[in-house]
Amino acid sequence: MTEKEFLQYASGGNTIKAGSAEHAVMHALSQQALMITTRINGSYHKPDEIRQLMSELTGRQLDDSFGMFPPFYTDCGRNISIGKRTFINMGCTFQDWGGIEIGDDCLIGHNCTICTVNHSQNPYNRGDMACSPVKIGNRVWIGANVTILPGVSVGDGAIIAAGAVVNKNVEPDTIAGGVPARTIKKIAY
């Protein structure tokens, strides 16, 4: 199985069975991500160097307007898509096996965690992982210490309040917060 085939398989909401051919590709991609994130997090880099390292990690050329303050953590990296003028703050963790798509003009706060995988509830198959993509629209602001769970979409212009756990879709132009996150109000502008 090629990397491209694996990423399509995982982004399609499929299960990765422990010990399978897909799991072997997953492990190899994890090792690659560990090498690159160690370089990102191991010393100071100028903004253009961060963009280059993140482009290497994601396998996509990031726009010159992208910005990030390390450290940054991921177990894959190859299934992350990041739009223009998006900024990722310190300490974020992206578990991107199922695919993470981030739009343009987004702000991702300190220590944000985005998850796209759940382990099997069956204790005899706990090593199996069900993938489900996360999509973050344009002009989204995600506060510090937010956790976004597998399969969630955050609509354009939304704000996720600090500390929220987002387990269901967030409508465009709304503020959501809490554990679990709920709509607090519509944004008027």
Side-chain angles (χ1 to χ4, degrees):
M1 171 172 272
T2 68
E3 176 182 309
K4 183 178 178 179
E5 290 169 335
F6 170 80
L7 295 175
Q8 288 173 339
Y9 178 83
S11 295
N14 294 298
T15 297
I16 300 168
K17 297 247 182 228
S20 66
E22 293 84 10
H23 191 254
V25 173
M26 182 183 207
H27 181 73
L29 289 173
S30 289
Q31 296 307 302
Q32 178 179 317
L34 288 170
M35 286 188 293
I36 298 169
T37 55
T38 297
R39 289 173 36 217
I40 291 170
N41 300 331
S43 63
Y44 172 77
H45 299 283
K46 294 178 184 175
D48 60 324
E49 294 170 327
I50 291 291
R51 278 190 293 280
Q52 183 55 41
L53 286 164
M54 285 297 288
S55 294
E56 183 181 342
L57 178 67
T58 63
R60 297 172 172 89
Q61 186 60 48
L62 295 178
D63 190 78
D64 287 344
S65 62
F66 168 77
M68 184 178 80
F69 289 166
F72 177 79
Y73 306 98
T74 185
D75 52 3
C76 177
R78 300 304 253 195
N79 226 355
I80 300 171
S81 172
I82 302 170
K84 296 177 182 175
R85 298 172 303 281
T86 287
F87 177 76
I88 299 171
N89 221 322
M90 294 178 189
C92 291
T93 301
F94 290 7
Q95 182 196 46
D96 61 291
W97 295 112
I100 296 173
E101 181 182 333
I102 301 172
D104 296 335
D105 303 300
C106 292
L107 300 173
I108 312 293
H110 288 85
N111 301 313
C112 180
T113 298
I114 302 175
C115 305
T116 65
V117 173
N118 273 321
H119 285 279
S120 173
Q121 292 181 11
N122 181 333
Y124 299 100
N125 298 321
R126 193 62 42 86
D128 294 353
M129 293 161 278
C131 299
S132 192
V134 168
K135 182 177 176 11
I136 298 170
N138 297 315
R139 300 172 309 284
V140 171
W141 174 18
I142 299 174
N145 297 305
V146 167
T147 299
I148 299 176
L149 298 179
V152 168
S153 290
V154 178
D156 292 347
I159 298 172
I160 309 299
V165 176
V166 186
N167 65 350
K168 62 184 176 185
N169 293 347
V170 175
E171 295 295 318
D173 300 317
T174 59
I175 298 174
V179 179
R182 62 175 180 75
T183 299
I184 296 170
K185 70 176 187 175
K186 198 77 168 142
I187 298 170
Y189 53 94

